[in-house]
């Protein structure tokens, strides 16, 4: 069974540009969550999607957005990139059974560098 | 609001020695608790989780953790460290209170503990 796939693995962008990251969840998983990992702030929750609807959102500015498609694949977009957006962006998928104890499976992440 | 505190950002142990990584949480209700491991340039891998039932939880690679409600702790241990255990370890919690439409899949992570295993 294929794991969570994130593309691309590495990305270099210039300040002011926008970027789109992609996440393909494990087959059958309908919940996709996104996290930002930086040395200074650690792992922070961005948002969660379930059945194409954003179900939960972290404390990030509106420049960070996402969406989920009918096949559960998800994308996140960051507009007007800032140097501080440089981070490892992790996607996690889970099989929803109605309880928060369902395991989240993480992808390898996309390393975004803003120059 | 939930929070997680991991005591010790760096822990060094000798190969074969006991590994103890500390995690304390703050939550209005007992949350679900997780330990994840991250190797360089990789995502997170679940080591173990506590949801309900037995408070001593066994995970992969010989790790285990004990949920102590009175101490609001969920420390991770391994009796004998191996060189391959060198990695960063994260303790995480999620809200036990699910939404009507399904679970709230939001993990709150600790700041991580970098484990070094010395030969």
């Amino acid at each position: 069974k294929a794991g969570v796939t994130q593309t691309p693995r590495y990305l270099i962008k210039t300040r002011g540009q926008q970027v789109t990251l992609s996440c393909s969840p494990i087959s059958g998983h309908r919940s996709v969550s996104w996290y930002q990992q930086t040395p200074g702030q650690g792992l922070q929750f961005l948002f969660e999607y379930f059945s194409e609807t954003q179900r939960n959102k972290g404390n990030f500015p509106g420049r960070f957005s996402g969406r989920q498609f009918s096949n559960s694949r998800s994308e996140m977009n960051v507009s007007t990139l800032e140097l501080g957006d440089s981070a490892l962006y992790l996607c996690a998928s889970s099989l929803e059974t109605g309880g928060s104890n369902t395991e989240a499976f993480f992808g390898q992440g996309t390393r975004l560098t803003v120059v | 609001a939930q929070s997680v505190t991991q005591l010790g950002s760096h822990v060094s142990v000798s190969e074969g020695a006991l590994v103890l990584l500390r995690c304390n949480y703050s939550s209005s209700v007992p949350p679900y608790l997780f330990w994840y491991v991250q190797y360089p340039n990789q995502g997170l891998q679940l080591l173990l989780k506590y949801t309900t039932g037995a408070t001593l939880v066994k995970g992969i690679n010989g790790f285990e953790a004990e949920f102590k409600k009175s101490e609001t702790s969920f420390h991770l241990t391994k009796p004998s460290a191996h060189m391959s255990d060198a990695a960063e370890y994260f303790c995480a919690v999620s809200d036990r209170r699910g939404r009507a439409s399904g679970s709230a899949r939001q993990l709150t992570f600790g700041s991580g503990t970098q484990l070094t295993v010395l030969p």
Side-chain angles (χ1 to χ4, degrees):
Chain A
K1 196 173 190 181
V4 178
T5 303
Q6 292 187 246
T7 56
R9 285 294 311 278
Y10 302 92
L11 206 49
I12 300 176
K13 288 287 188 179
T14 304
R15 274 181 300 175
Q17 287 186 313
Q18 74 166 17
V19 67
T20 299
L21 311 182
S22 179
C23 173
S24 293
I26 292 172
S27 178
H29 287 196
R30 296 165 62 193
S31 169
V32 174
S33 300
W34 289 88
Y35 293 84
Q36 182 196 63
Q37 185 176 24
T38 60
Q41 300 298 317
L43 280 153
Q44 294 185 287
F45 173 78
L46 279 157
F47 27 65
E48 183 220 355
Y49 286 87
F50 179 79
S51 292
E52 303 178 64
T53 301
Q54 187 181 89
R55 195 160 63 173
N56 206 358
K57 189 177 191 301
N59 188 26
F60 278 81
R63 299 186 298 107
F64 292 81
S65 62
R67 59 177 175 169
Q68 186 180 34
F69 302 94
S70 58
N71 62 357
S72 294
R73 189 177 70 86
S74 177
E75 290 181 346
M76 68 163 282
N77 185 278
V78 188
S79 62
T80 319
L81 284 166
E82 300 176 359
L83 295 178
D85 297 333
S86 295
L88 181 66
Y89 290 88
L90 292 165
C91 167
S93 76
S94 61
L95 177 64
E96 286 300 313
T97 58
S100 288
N101 60 341
T102 306
E103 178 181 351
F105 293 83
F106 283 81
Q108 291 189 304
T110 294
R111 172 76 63 185
L112 172 65
T113 302
V114 182
V115 297
Chain B
Q2 300 171 113
S3 66
V4 179
T5 301
Q6 290 185 240
L7 292 174
S9 58
H10 291 84
V11 171
S12 293
V13 300
S14 298
E15 191 173 19
L18 171 72
V19 175
L20 170 60
L21 305 183
R22 300 177 187 274
C23 172
N24 288 87
Y25 68 89
S26 173
S27 177
S28 56
V29 296
Y32 295 116
L33 295 154
F34 307 82
W35 274 100
Y36 283 88
V37 62
Q38 185 178 36
Y39 297 98
N41 296 315
Q42 298 293 319
L44 302 173
Q45 180 183 13
L46 181 69
L47 284 175
L48 47 79
K49 64 182 180 183
Y50 171 77
T51 55
T52 59
T55 55
L56 182 61
V57 181
K58 295 187 184 300
I60 62 172
N61 301 338
F63 285 93
E64 61 182 37
E66 186 172 11
F67 169 59
K68 292 188 177 180
K69 183 179 177 181
S70 61
E71 299 177 8
T72 60
S73 69
F74 191 56
H75 301 330
L76 181 71
T77 61
K78 181 174 181 178
S80 177
H82 191 273
M83 296 296 288
S84 61
D85 294 328
E88 189 155 23
Y89 292 79
F90 293 92
C91 181
V93 302
S94 73
D95 196 335
R96 183 177 290 271
R97 294 166 295 185
R99 295 168 184 258
S101 59
S103 71
R105 177 124 309 278
Q106 175 178 347
L107 292 167
T108 300
F109 287 90
S111 55
T113 298
Q114 181 67 48
L115 176 66
T116 300
V117 181
L118 305 171

